[in-house]
């Protein structure tokens, strides 16, 4: 592993140097070879284990925790920072530069009353979800590994500490800009420095002047909208969309009590600590905008308000446009007409509106029928739209409602030239396997009770190919058993 230290060398005053605290009796719980390949690492050997558990130093690493602030559940916290994540630098690999961080690596100057540790269950969940989202083509940070230990930590009860080794194209969050706008004297210099650094590293084609800053904010709006469109399309609820958990690159980031929908429910809340449902599944698109507005506010020293507002005004159409694109792929609503010059803008807008309605009526049916989101969408991979018979229909109790929707759907899809190719295309848009909470929970319990990592390994491998049939794992596509219904996570991790 080779490191560069651009953030560390160029942004002094944006972090505190801190060494990780050694984790006792470290052992690999999980390893992602896909993530390892990103940074050119071959295998999980003992030397690497010692380095990633804070027991040995990497000669090129600089250990630091970043400072930032953020809006948490609507209120501004002026100083947060990495309370338990220690960055080693930017690992250099065949796919470019990846920040490597030890989440749960020990206390930092930003730990406040926390112990700087992560419990095994939350480290395993972050590992699994990072890699599962990546395989679903959702923009996300990655996880190289999860490392267990025998170090006791205290939450509601005694648990053991673990580390998620996170890879991120950047750890810069909306909250970074908020911190350097509101907290520091001479803020504008630092804010400018941070924006310029972000541009140099991630938007090298943009100029570092007023025009470039403006263009950059449009890009941030677009990337965030796209990420959330992906979440809505795969049924992913992040759970803690505070501005300190929003990556500036629009990658899914900092996972806590997240969940994938089982039964489709618009106002599904996955976070036990969010009884009001601020971050409910259906709220994510509007929270995304609210967060971008907080970022825009922090950028007012650099970018004129009119430009910021104009960029924010593109959010909705970016999000809806991308959601529509993804959902059309899932339902098999062709897009080929849209490249035709013959279609006027007005006709496109009307088609968009009708398709959104068709999609909304479908998810409405799933909600009223309490059907599983993923499994219902997967049915499109087996559906023959020219036939009135389908598993989808069999699953419905109110068949009349379904039939009236289905007639409109059939009309929209029209005659298919190649049914098999159409179905195959649906199979690569609609995953068969997702990271259901109960599956993660079973893997965690096996580790807790028996030290057995085989379920975690099996789940991780399964979710690397979520669109493939994998008949030997058919059972893992099932909706949750009774014991796991209503399984809901808290922020405590
Ligand atoms: P999170 O909810 O994980 O995004 O964390 C919010 C803030 O609390 C971040 O600044 C974290 O670094 C910090 N934090 C969370 N858990 C701990 C912990 N166990 N020890 C120290 N800081 C923590
Ligand atoms: Mg966080």
């Amino acid at each position: 592993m080779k490191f560069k230290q651009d953030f560390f060398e160029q942004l002094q005053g944006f972090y505190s140097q801190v060494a990780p605290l050694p984790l006792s009796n470290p052992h690999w719980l999980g390893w992602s070879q896909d993530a390892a390949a990103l940074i050119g690492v071959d295998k999980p050997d003992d030397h690497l284990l010692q380095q990633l558990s804070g027991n040995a130093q990497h000669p090129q690493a600089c250990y630091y925790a970043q400072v930032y602030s953020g809006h948490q559940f609507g209120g501004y916290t002026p100083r947060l920072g990495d309370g338990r994540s220690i960055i080693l630098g930017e690992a250099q690999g065949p796919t470019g530069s990846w920040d490597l961080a030890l989440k749960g690596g020990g206390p930092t100057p930003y730990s406040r009353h926390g112990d700087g540790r992560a419990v095994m269950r939350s480290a395993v969940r972050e590992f699994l979800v990072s890699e599962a989202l990546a395989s679903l083509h959702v923009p996300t940070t990655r996880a190289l590994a999860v490392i267990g230990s025998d170090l006791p930590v205290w939450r509601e009860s005694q648990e053991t500490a673990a580390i998620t080794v996170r890879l991120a194209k950047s750890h810069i969050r909306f909250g970074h800009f908020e911190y350097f706008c509101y907290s520091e004297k001479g803020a504008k210099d630092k804010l400018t420095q941070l924006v310029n650094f972000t541009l140099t590293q991630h938007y090298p084609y943009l100029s570092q002047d007023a025009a470039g800053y403006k263009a950059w904010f449009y890009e941030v709006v677009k990337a965030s909208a796209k990420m959330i469109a992906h979440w809505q399309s795969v049924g992913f609820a992040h759970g803690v969309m505070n501005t300190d958990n929003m990556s500036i690159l629009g990658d899914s980031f900092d996972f806590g009590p997240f969940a994938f929908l089982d039964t489709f429910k618009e106002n599904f809340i996955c976070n036990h600590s969010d009884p009001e449902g601020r971050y409910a599944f259906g709220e994510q698109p509007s929270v995304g905008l609210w967060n971008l507005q907080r970022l825009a506010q922090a950028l007012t020293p650099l970018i004129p308000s009119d430009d910021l507002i104009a960029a924010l005004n593109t959010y909705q159409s970016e999000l809806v446009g991308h959601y529509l694109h993804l959902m059309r792929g899932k339902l098999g609503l062709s897009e080929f007409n849209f490249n035709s010059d013959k279609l006027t803008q007005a006709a496109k807008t009307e088609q968009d509106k009708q398709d959104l309605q068709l999609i909304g009526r479908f998810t409405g049916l799933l909600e009223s029928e309490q059907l599983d989101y993923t499994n219902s969408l997967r049915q499109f991979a087996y559906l023959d739209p020219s036939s009135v018979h389908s598993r989808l229909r069999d699953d419905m109790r109110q068949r009349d409602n379904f039939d009236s929707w289905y007639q409109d759907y059939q009309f929209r899809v029209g005659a298919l030239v190649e049914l098999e190719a159409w179905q195959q295309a649906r199979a690569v848009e609609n995953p068969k396997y997702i990271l259901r909470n109960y599956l993660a929970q079973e893997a965690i319990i096996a580790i807790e009770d028996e030290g057995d990592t085989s379920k975690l390994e099996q789940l991780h491998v399964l979710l690397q190919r979520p669109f493939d049939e994998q008949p030997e794992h058919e059972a893992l596509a099932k909706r949750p058993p009774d014991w796991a219904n209503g399984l809901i996570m808290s922020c405590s991790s």
Side-chain angles (χ1 to χ4, degrees), residues 68 72 79-85 103 106-108 110-119 126 155 173 240 242 244-245 254-257 491 493:
Y68 49 84
Q72 299 182 301
R79 197 172 112 124
L80 287 161
D82 293 328
R84 53 168 170 171
S85 175
K103 188 167 175 181
T108 77
Y110 314 108
S111 296
R112 288 163 291 165
H113 305 296
D115 57 6
R117 292 300 188 187
V119 295
E126 174 140 13
R155 297 294 182 263
R173 307 149 191 260
V240 200
N242 295 333
D244 52 297
N245 291 339
D254 245 9
F255 303 100
C491 267
S493 56

Side-chain angles (χ1 to χ4, degrees), residues 69-71 76 173-183 191 243-244 291 294-295 298:
S69 58
H71 278 84
Y76 185 63
R173 307 149 191 260
F174 288 12
H176 273 89
F177 300 91
E178 294 183 282
Y179 182 80
F180 288 101
C181 175
Y182 303 125
S183 306
L191 194 60
T243 57
D244 52 297
N291 287 343
R294 302 290 74 73
L295 175 65

Side-chain angles (χ1 to χ4, degrees), residues 217-227 292 314-315 318:
F217 189 65
Y218 273 85
E219 298 264 4
V220 176
V221 170
K222 187 172 172 173
S224 309
K226 247 181 142 165
M227 170 185 80
L292 282 162
T314 65
Y315 174 79
E318 290 287 355

Side-chain angles (χ1 to χ4, degrees), residues 8-70:
F8 186 86
E9 284 165 9
Q10 295 170 33
L11 293 180
Q12 277 141 29
F14 291 70
Y15 58 81
S16 303
Q17 258 186 291
V18 55
L21 203 61
L23 203 56
S24 52
N25 187 22
H27 46 274
W28 301 111
L29 293 176
W31 172 263
S32 170
Q33 195 54 47
D34 283 0
L38 298 172
I39 54 168
V41 171
D42 292 340
K43 56 180 191 322
D45 61 27
D46 191 57
H47 187 51
L48 189 62
L49 179 65
Q50 297 307 321
Q51 287 178 339
L52 298 179
S53 58
N55 289 289
Q57 255 202 317
H58 187 287
Q60 290 176 345
C62 297
Y63 298 88
Y64 60 96
Q66 297 177 342
V67 63
Y68 49 84
S69 58

Side-chain angles (χ1 to χ4, degrees), residues 303-324:
I303 305 175
S305 306
D306 287 352
D307 290 342
L308 291 166
I309 291 166
L312 290 170
N313 285 341
T314 65
Y315 174 79
Q316 188 175 349
S317 63
E318 290 287 355
L319 193 154
V320 173
H322 202 64
Y323 177 74
L324 195 52

Side-chain angles (χ1 to χ4, degrees), residues 334-344 348 351 412:
S334 57
E335 260 175 301
F336 56 86
N337 281 339
F338 295 85
N339 297 324
S340 152
D341 294 340
K342 289 187 203 116
L343 207 64
T344 62
K348 276 186 194 172
Q351 186 66 69
R412 170 65 174 88

